[in-house]
Amino acid sequence: MRKKIVAGNWKMNKTLQEGVALAQTVEQMASALSGVAQVVVAPPFLHLTEVKKVLKTVSIAAQNCAAESSGAYTGEVSAAMLKSAGIEYVILGHSERRAYYGETDAILAKKVDLALANRLTPIFCCGEVLSEREQNLHLGVVKTQLADALFHLSAEQFSRIVIAYEPVWAIGTGVTATSDQAQEMHHYIRGVLAEKYGAAVANEISILYGGSCKPSNAGELFANPDVDGGLIGGASLEAGDFIGIVKAF
Ligand code: PGA
């Protein structure tokens, strides 16, 4: 079902104690806004089980999972482990994972399969770098990312995916995509999905925007018909800012 979602990606920030305290405040503030949007927090792996204990209305996501189901993969965390800890969502294909850890769409396809097989909801990130936008290649780049990582899925499987469009040039830079740029891409993505899976499936998919989203620009971004919420980095580290973005709905 097409949901409004605001998800906070904490990245590699906050000690365990700081993370639990942040989650507590987010839960308190979010519970007063029930029904506005599904609020999700994505703490580091180490924090997940402790953070989960303080959440009721807020959902929880991991920032990644392994591309293999189990075995000799030192340092990895599997989709089944996340599921066993009560985790609901998993962010996959974040541009930082692609850029710093060599995650390709082929690797992401395996992660998506394992997440879905374990009944986790993938928040699949896509987006172009600045030079691709400057050369007007952004639409094609995003289409290829979607096709290569996701289009092996059945329509039933695809209906359990959340997409996050995150132009890489907007992540952590303070430069946000304009409302028109976001709507253009989100509308394009929905069209690509409709072509592949049909309009009924495409209309049910939540497509989030990510990249320097703040309380001051979220309202304009979320007012677009194809923008169903946000994936928030920096502004999710402060409960007031993060909930300010939820209030933008
Ligand atoms: P940002 O990060 O909000 O700090 O730009 C967004 C993201 O990486 O998901």
Side-chain angles (χ1 to χ4, degrees), residues 173-234:
T173 58
V175 180
T176 315
T178 64
S179 173
D180 288 349
Q181 285 173 326
Q183 172 56 23
E184 179 203 33
M185 180 60 88
H186 284 229
H187 181 72
Y188 173 76
I189 290 172
R190 209 177 297 285
V192 167
L193 303 185
E195 220 172 87
K196 171 73 183 169
Y197 291 107
V201 171
N203 281 330
E204 292 296 294
I205 300 292
S206 300
I207 307 178
L208 315 183
Y209 167 80
S212 299
C213 189
K214 309 182 267 279
S216 57
N217 58 32
E220 202 188 332
L221 289 160
F222 296 173
N224 288 300
D226 288 299
V227 179
D228 304 309
L231 181 55
I232 318 301

Side-chain angles (χ1 to χ4, degrees), residues 17-35:
Q17 292 76 15
E18 289 166 351
V20 170
L22 173 60
Q24 259 160 348
T25 314
V26 167
E27 171 62 36
Q28 237 169 31
M29 296 174 90
S31 62
L33 293 173
S34 72

Side-chain angles (χ1 to χ4, degrees), residues 130-144:
L130 184 60
S131 61
E132 290 163 340
R133 178 160 284 266
E134 285 170 347
Q135 295 170 76
N136 206 29
L137 298 172
H138 49 291
L139 299 178
V141 166
V142 168
K143 184 178 187 173
T144 301

Side-chain angles (χ1 to χ4, degrees), residues 29-54:
M29 296 174 90
S31 62
L33 293 173
S34 72
V36 174
Q38 178 62 59
V39 179
V40 182
V41 292
F45 282 133
L46 182 68
H47 302 22
L48 288 170
T49 52
E50 286 303 307
V51 163
K52 175 143 177 73
K53 288 180 191 162
V54 304

Side-chain angles (χ1 to χ4, degrees), residues 76-96:
E76 292 289 285
V77 174
S78 73
M81 291 172 191
L82 295 174
K83 187 64 186 177
S84 73
I87 308 308
E88 301 160 78
Y89 293 85
V90 59
I91 298 172
L92 293 175
H94 191 280
S95 66
E96 289 149 17

